[in-house]
Amino acid sequence: MAQDLNYLKETPSQTAGPYVHIGLAPGAAGFDIYREELGWDIAGPNARGERIRVEGRVIDGTGSPIKDVLLEAWQANSEGIYAHPEHQGEVEDGFRGWGRVITDFDTGEWGFDTVKPGATPGRNGTTQAPHITLWIVARGINLGLNTRLYFDDETEANAADPVINLIEWERRRATLLAKRGERDGQIVYRFDIKIQGEDETVFFDI
Amino acid sequence: MTKPAEFYQRDRRWHPPALDERYKTSVARSPQYAPISLENSLSEITGPVFGHNDIDAIDNDLLSNYAQPGQSPIGERIIVHGRVLDENARPVPNTLVEIWQANAGGRYRHKKDTYLAPIDPNFGGCGRTLTDENGYYYFRTVKPGAYPWRNWVNDWRPAHIHISVFGSGFAQRLITQLYFEGDPLIAKCPIVNTIPDPKAVDQLIAALDMNATIPLDTIAYKFDIVLRGRRSTLFENRLEGN
């Protein structure tokens, strides 16, 4: 027997269950308790850049929308700076870069308003195409699923993105592209996430 | 730019797999392809920062944060406390810990919960707090009751509190469940049993902590949370951005 390395083990994950809203979005569970719920405003009022809406559904292996999902988003500002002490650079006052939304109980639609992020530094001097990191939890999901939303109008940047290029099955890369459109004068990116089956979204072990 | 140092690889044999057919909902909600593994970039090493302006001091007291003035929820008064550490046993300070739970009868204050046990008018069932500079956190609440759920026809969840933790980087984001020492339902639960290693299950069981119990007032359970550790770069041979 060798010496014990003495590292602790990460606390094992468990599903968020069907009532995740009570803790993380109590208003949606049907009651008002906190002065302010967290995560409803990613970018804040002062953020520069293009205002966009990102929306979609999360689809299960039977093709049905999942109606009890909670999603969190993490992104840089329009200049590609994360609101975190390890990323040097200023973000606008009120820009947190993090958001939390739930799916509609009837339709399974989710959406959040934000600004389009800028390109961020990758490893070894590379540049990552603009993207939003998404984390998905729900009943039936034992460990939160990580994915990335990229923008379909960033063709050149996406082609050079080091993470997209890690996906050797080129056909699967398209599952990470949100489709740009417009509704009532607002830019809307559509991003449906397929948990399982045909055109299953690429998930990452980060 | 500060040099990114990665989080340790997540041990996916310690965590539950995506698919466990005994937990039925996972069957259609589990990816069939393996996840693509990424070396961390800034996108994974950074994460949201929260401060005391975001939450109120009362938010960690479930005995009073939804109770009418002078009232208290019905149930066993408990303290849940512990530390948030990383795999190197270093404290994770100033991180957001959020919890939610059923009331003493196993009923959630959620419009989708139709279990016949009654709602407690003085109990909301959620709380949140920031760890202090030593990674320490505490909540006051009532011990939740077990409740039935539609999986196999006679499945009952052990008493549990759901816990959400952030850490310093988005790669540490974690949701889990706390169980209580000695509960005979733990061994029977299909959700608990998605975890392959019994030692990993033990890590989710809060211990009765008489030292933290307030005599004649509130009984205590201790529950430490461990998030992914982070590598210290011992040999630096790349100049930029590693």
Side-chain angles (χ1 to χ4, degrees):
Chain A
M1 284 281 275
Q3 293 184 9
D4 192 332
L5 287 170
N6 285 324
Y7 292 109
L8 301 179
K9 293 296 288 183
E10 187 186 12
T11 298
S13 175
Q14 291 271 264
T15 177
Y19 305 125
V20 60
H21 321 92
I22 292 179
L24 307 187
F31 68 110
D32 187 26
I33 181 165
Y34 294 140
R35 167 170 51 88
E36 192 173 294
E37 290 189 15
L38 296 170
W40 59 274
D41 190 359
I42 297 178
N46 305 314
R48 294 179 292 273
E50 184 179 34
R51 292 276 163 181
I52 61 170
R53 181 168 177 80
V54 178
E55 59 185 29
R57 294 185 304 171
V58 182
I59 314 283
D60 73 13
T62 75
S64 313
I66 304 183
K67 298 173 180 175
D68 52 13
V69 173
L70 182 128
L71 296 98
E72 291 187 4
W74 174 241
Q75 68 165 84
N77 74 357
S78 62
E79 274 111 55
I81 308 293
Y82 284 105
H84 188 273
E86 290 192 51
H87 197 173
Q88 284 174 10
E90 292 288 310
V91 297
E92 302 87 342
D93 191 31
F95 181 92
R96 198 191 307 259
W98 170 77
R100 175 184 273 173
V101 291
I102 63 153
T103 48
D104 183 274
F105 290 137
D106 297 320
T107 64
E109 288 279 337
W110 57 269
F112 52 81
D113 298 305
T114 183
V115 295
K116 193 175 177 188
T120 51
R123 296 171 60 87
N124 305 322
T126 59
T127 299
Q128 304 188 95
H131 66 278
I132 299 176
T133 295
L134 292 175
W135 186 69
I136 302 154
V137 294
R139 178 171 64 106
I141 296 175
N142 289 325
L143 175 63
L145 296 169
N146 278 288
T147 188
R148 285 183 171 200
L149 178 159
Y150 287 87
F151 301 90
D152 75 343
D153 54 327
E154 297 282 347
T155 314
E156 233 176 275
N158 291 340
D161 182 82
V163 169
I164 290 180
N165 283 301
L166 268 182
I167 305 165
E168 64 173 290
W169 307 278
E170 291 180 28
R171 225 183 133 259
R172 298 199 69 205
R173 297 176 186 172
T175 67
L176 300 182
L177 298 184
K179 289 181 180 50
R180 184 180 177 104
E182 199 178 326
R183 190 175 60 230
D184 304 329
Q186 188 183 27
I187 302 300
V188 178
Y189 284 93
R190 182 78 195 175
F191 190 63
D192 285 330
I193 297 163
K194 294 187 176 155
I195 299 281
Q196 185 190 86
E198 197 181 348
D199 292 325
E200 179 179 304
T201 300
V202 170
F203 297 103
F204 294 106
D205 165 38
I206 61 172
Chain B
M1 188 207 313
T2 307
K3 190 177 175 62
E6 295 170 301
F7 288 101
Y8 299 150
Q9 177 177 309
R10 188 164 250 167
D11 182 352
R12 287 178 174 258
R13 287 193 168 81
W14 187 252
H15 287 285
L19 172 64
D20 184 332
E21 69 282 352
R22 296 165 301 177
Y23 174 28
K24 294 183 183 181
T25 317
S26 76
V27 174
R29 294 184 174 193
S30 45
Q32 289 171 325
Y33 292 116
I36 309 281
S37 293
L38 297 188
E39 297 157 282
N40 289 168
S41 70
L42 268 176
S43 306
E44 289 78 36
I45 287 162
T46 58
V49 176
F50 300 97
H52 288 283
N53 292 334
D54 291 318
I55 62 175
D56 292 323
I58 195 180
D59 289 351
N60 73 345
D61 185 6
L62 284 69
L63 292 185
S64 64
N65 70 6
Y66 201 73
Q68 298 296 316
Q71 302 284 304
S72 212
I74 303 260
E76 187 177 344
R77 295 162 56 87
I78 64 169
I79 289 164
V80 173
H81 76 127
R83 293 176 78 198
V84 181
L85 305 166
D86 71 8
E87 290 170 290
N88 299 313
R90 297 187 187 115
V92 182
N94 207 45
T95 200
L96 184 66
V97 181
E98 298 164 289
I99 66 168
W100 68 100
Q101 63 167 97
N103 68 21
R107 174 76 184 268
Y108 284 96
R109 183 176 287 276
H110 191 292
K111 52 190 176 192
K112 297 281 182 189
D113 189 357
T114 56
Y115 181 36
L116 48 78
I119 289 282
D120 183 333
N122 293 304
F123 190 69
C126 60
R128 55 190 188 179
T129 192
L130 292 170
T131 57
D132 71 9
E133 67 277 14
N134 300 312
Y136 183 74
Y137 75 93
Y138 66 95
F139 292 95
R140 200 166 70 140
T141 184
V142 295
K143 190 172 176 187
Y147 65 86
W149 58 302
R150 285 192 175 272
N151 189 57
W152 308 102
V153 79
N154 193 22
D155 274 339
W156 292 74
R157 295 303 322 283
H160 63 277
I161 297 176
H162 297 268
I163 302 185
S164 160
V165 199
F166 278 82
S168 61
F170 211 56
Q172 289 176 304
R173 191 77 182 84
L174 182 73
I175 280 183
T176 189
Q177 300 184 31
L178 169 161
Y179 305 101
F180 293 90
E181 181 178 1
D183 185 340
L185 285 170
I186 293 171
K188 298 181 185 299
C189 176
I191 289 176
V192 174
N193 286 321
T194 59
I195 297 173
D197 189 329
K199 291 196 297 293
V201 172
D202 290 347
Q203 202 176 347
L204 296 184
I205 302 175
L208 175 66
D209 183 359
M210 294 306 289
N211 288 348
T213 290
I214 303 172
L216 308 177
D217 187 317
T218 312
I219 200 163
Y221 286 86
K222 185 162 187 290
F223 189 74
D224 286 339
I225 299 161
V226 180
L227 302 180
R228 292 168 71 180
R230 202 158 159 192
R231 189 163 287 131
S232 308
T233 310
L234 300 177
F235 299 97
E236 299 196 19
N237 47 19
R238 293 188 212 185
L239 293 176
E240 183 68 22
N242 194 21

